[in-house]
Amino acid sequence: MAASPASARQIRPTCRRGQVPRVKHTSEERILVLDFGSQYAQLIARRVREHHVYCEIVRHTITAERVRELAPKGLILSGGPASVYEPGAPRCDPELFRLGIPVLGICYGMQLACQALGGEVSPAEAREYGRTSCRILVEAELFAGLPRDTEVWMSHGDQVARVSADFQPLAQTRSCPIAAVRHRVLPVFGLQFHPEVTHTPLGGQMLANFLQQVCGCRGTWQLADVAEELVHAIRARVGRHRVICGLSGGVDSSVTAALLYRAIGDRLSCILVDNGLLRKDEVEAVIREFSSHFRTDLHVVHARDKFLAALAGVVEPQEKRRRIGRAFIECFADEAARIEDAPFLAQGTLYPDVIESGAAADGPAATIKLHHNVGGLPEDLSFELIEPLRDLFKDEVRRLGSELGLPEEIVWRHPFPGPGLAVRCLGEVTPERLDRLREADAIVVAEIRAAGLYRQTSQAFAVLLPVQSVGVMGDARTYEDVIAVRCINTEDFMTADWSRLPHEVLARISSRIINEVKGVNRVVYDISSKPPATIEWE
């Protein structure tokens, strides 16, 4: 007999934060990125993985002894906002340079390596930010096969003023005479610019040269192998028990469910919480797609009123996230208590979630967002967690979904924030404002699809602003809401550029929203890139 909410299983501390049981694949080749606070640290790791070499981000305080245990093929020191010569600036264990493991320092990482090995770093005469031309002086390993002059992306206020005799300068720019270096004895290299960003067109080849020619990597990491490893690991760990999976309809939870279904079949139970903050017709679409691709147990919790009551009067974004997280846990726990013999909980947590929530074993400790899966769980969680995607980036999850046979409409669905429309409804969240936003958002997506641009864009949505503006409709003066349209292009969601949508598409979106959505008289288009802006408005 199923347990009732009142007789739910006793809470037991099986999954403390930082010690979460996980399903993790293995790789014979591994690169570690030491994070010194760079906004691009995750991007470095993703670029390395593009060359089929597994890469993890770790704290810059990791010890040489721990690195020796992990036995990576190479180390990459990330950039960072600090100055290496300031008191309290982040440092790494100096013994790392003596391990014989190849090291590549990027920006701050190069400055740190040069300073630690006898060089001098000082403020540059002029801060260098953006694209610049770089002259390669020595066609060493990093620059093998590259032209003498290439474009690179700089972002620094300090630079290496002097290197010891043990270093050889490899490249220079007009304002940076030492733009790349290598140590003459140790396998230590440095780049003052950022090879990981798309603004350095040949940066991928530079990283490939480091991985292959310096570190000796063969590129053996394949997502197809990862899928099979994960399926076998889930079966071994779960045994004959049942697993509960939180389902949202997004690609992360869908791929998680697909992996579990392949591993344990109908012993998978999924819970979909309808929080009233989803897109138009989202619940019906998830139920329809789920039923057509899985033959397993689906529980739908209708909790719109509970979430709206929790959000009443709240305008601060982080408080919205906190309240949504608490309400979700309560709804999920009540429904999970009705499912027998299910000691495991599966989540679609991704690697950026783990890093930004400070939950990685050797990873950065700073918490950037509150509403990550890994950050929203109670301390006294009564399940053992299964997070099969927690070592993967979004684009890798999409490719994994295709490997598992999921349809394109699921694999390529645009991301949707965990707190839903609440963080796109700026200001107070009310049923009326949500309905207005939901209708406008549906028009944005419909017109993007009709123009054949859905796959060419990475994310498109509407935002309801907490301001009103004057308008004229039918010779009458109006004072109504403003909708902002956000559409971005990105490969990794760590950096993004605004989409250059055709003017006729923008015109149709604006016309339809103003004519069809009651209470809106103005539409604006967001042309901000990330950084400095974020993709979401809250």
Side-chain angles (χ1 to χ4, degrees):
M1 179 176 176
S4 67
S7 61
R9 59 175 68 86
Q10 292 297 309
I11 301 299
R12 52 189 172 84
T14 58
C15 291
R16 291 175 293 168
R17 285 189 180 90
Q19 297 181 343
V20 178
R22 61 194 291 193
V23 175
K24 187 180 187 304
H25 57 271
T26 59
S27 177
E28 62 180 14
E29 295 182 341
R30 184 202 311 244
I31 298 292
L32 299 181
V33 175
L34 276 64
D35 185 10
F36 291 90
S38 171
Q39 61 181 325
Y40 299 134
Q42 293 180 31
L43 188 54
I44 297 170
R46 183 183 168 276
R47 294 287 184 245
V48 170
R49 294 188 188 187
E50 287 179 352
H51 298 287
H52 303 292
V53 178
Y54 183 64
C55 186
E56 288 183 279
I57 301 173
V58 299
R59 295 184 179 95
H60 67 270
T61 54
I62 190 170
T63 65
E65 181 181 357
R66 176 59 176 154
V67 169
R68 193 180 290 110
E69 291 174 1
L70 294 173
K73 301 284 283 186
L75 304 175
I76 298 179
L77 312 185
S78 82
S83 295
V84 298
Y85 49 78
E86 292 179 349
R91 300 273 192 267
C92 64
D93 186 341
E95 290 303 311
L96 292 176
F97 301 111
R98 308 289 180 181
L99 293 176
I101 297 173
V103 176
L104 173 62
I106 296 176
C107 197
Y108 181 91
M110 167 179 158
Q111 297 166 13
L112 188 68
C114 289
Q115 185 191 61
L117 295 171
E120 179 183 341
V121 178
S122 63
E125 291 185 7
R127 188 173 187 270
E128 196 171 21
Y129 183 84
R131 292 183 177 91
T132 190
S133 179
C134 180
R135 167 60 63 95
I136 295 173
L137 304 175
V138 180
E139 192 176 333
E141 297 94 329
L142 291 184
F143 301 125
L146 271 65
R148 174 75 57 165
D149 293 293
T150 184
E151 192 174 73
V152 300
W153 179 266
M154 288 285 196
S155 179
H156 66 98
D158 300 329
Q159 63 186 32
V160 176
R162 179 186 58 81
V163 291
S164 70
D166 292 328
F167 275 99
Q168 178 184 20
L170 302 178
Q172 64 182 17
T173 69
R174 183 168 56 85
S175 58
C176 183
I178 306 177
V181 295
R182 71 172 174 187
H183 198 278
R184 299 179 190 275
V185 179
L186 303 174
V188 177
F189 296 77
L191 298 173
Q192 181 58 67
F193 53 85
H194 290 270
E196 71 273 20
V197 301
T198 55
H199 305 309
T200 300
L202 299 179
Q205 183 58 50
M206 298 174 196
L207 288 174
N209 286 340
F210 175 70
L211 297 172
Q212 297 162 10
Q213 299 201 28
V214 179
C215 300
C217 294
R218 293 176 291 120
T220 58
W221 189 68
Q222 301 289 340
L223 275 176
D225 297 333
V226 170
E228 289 308 310
E229 290 176 8
L230 288 171
V231 166
H232 290 306
I234 290 169
R235 285 176 183 157
R237 182 165 165 211
V238 170
R240 300 302 302 171
H241 293 292
R242 180 169 291 274
V243 177
I244 297 173
C245 177
L247 192 69
S248 69
V251 62
D252 306 337
S253 64
S254 296
V255 172
T256 299
L259 273 170
L260 289 162
Y261 188 68
R262 177 175 288 192
I264 62 174
D266 61 7
R267 286 181 288 117
L268 169 65
S269 291
C270 291
I271 298 177
L272 169 63
V273 177
D274 176 8
N275 57 14
L277 305 172
L278 301 178
R279 288 169 286 199
K280 186 177 181 179
D281 301 327
E282 184 96 45
V283 174
E284 294 79 4
V286 172
I287 294 173
R288 182 174 61 253
E289 291 169 354
F290 182 91
S291 301
S292 63
H293 294 101
F294 303 98
R295 297 290 183 269
T296 189
D297 188 31
L298 174 62
H299 299 244
V300 181
V301 180
H302 298 285
R304 175 178 180 271
D305 292 343
K306 179 183 180 71
F307 281 83
L308 290 179
L311 290 169
V314 178
V315 298
E316 205 278 318
Q318 293 293 66
E319 184 61 25
K320 287 181 183 179
R321 293 174 183 271
R322 289 188 187 94
R323 296 193 180 202
I324 291 169
R326 284 198 296 266
F328 176 84
I329 290 296
E330 290 171 5
C331 291
F332 195 93
D334 285 347
E335 189 63 30
R338 296 181 168 88
I339 301 173
E340 294 182 327
D341 188 30
F344 296 97
L345 170 64
Q347 292 191 138
T349 305
L350 304 191
Y351 194 47
D353 300 339
V354 176
I355 294 300
E356 293 182 359
S357 298
D362 293 300
T367 298
I368 298 174
K369 296 179 181 177
L370 286 176
H371 197 85
H372 282 317
N373 290 338
V374 292
L377 294 170
E379 296 289 350
D380 53 1
L381 182 68
S382 63
F383 300 95
E384 286 191 40
L385 281 182
I386 293 180
E387 296 175 308
L389 309 181
R390 68 177 280 144
D391 296 316
L392 302 180
F393 289 104
K394 175 73 76 173
D395 61 311
E396 295 168 337
V397 171
R398 292 193 193 280
R399 299 207 309 272
L400 185 59
S402 296
E403 292 278 351
L404 293 168
L406 288 176
E408 282 197 2
E409 58 266 27
I410 292 179
V411 172
W412 291 101
R413 178 171 289 158
H414 286 183
F416 190 62
L421 295 179
V423 292
R424 293 178 179 173
C425 184
L426 277 59
E428 185 176 3
V429 179
T430 67
E432 297 76 21
R433 298 191 79 224
L434 282 172
D435 288 342
R436 194 166 297 155
L437 174 58
R438 194 173 281 116
E439 292 299 323
D441 184 76
I443 290 172
V444 171
V445 175
E447 289 299 329
I448 295 291
R449 287 187 183 278
L453 297 173
Y454 191 79
R455 281 285 300 273
Q456 282 67 53
T457 56
S458 305
Q459 201 166 352
F461 56 91
V463 180
L464 180 61
L465 304 186
V467 296
Q468 293 185 312
S469 72
V470 175
V472 177
M473 288 185 177
D475 295 327
R477 181 181 184 275
T478 62
Y479 193 62
E480 295 180 329
D481 286 338
V482 179
I483 287 287
V485 175
R486 180 70 157 147
C487 187
I488 58 99
N489 291 345
T490 179
E491 294 181 1
D492 45 55
F493 293 91
M494 288 168 273
T495 61
D497 197 11
W498 59 279
S499 302
R500 273 64 171 177
L501 295 181
H503 290 176
E504 56 270 22
V505 175
L506 289 173
R508 285 197 298 271
I509 289 173
S510 176
S511 178
R512 283 195 60 192
I513 290 176
I514 291 173
N515 285 304
E516 298 177 29
V517 182
K518 186 177 180 181
V520 175
N521 68 358
R522 190 178 299 271
V523 174
V524 298
Y525 190 52
D526 184 349
I527 59 170
S528 309
S529 296
K530 176 188 179 182
T534 55
I535 295 175
E536 298 288 345
W537 278 49
E538 285 191 343

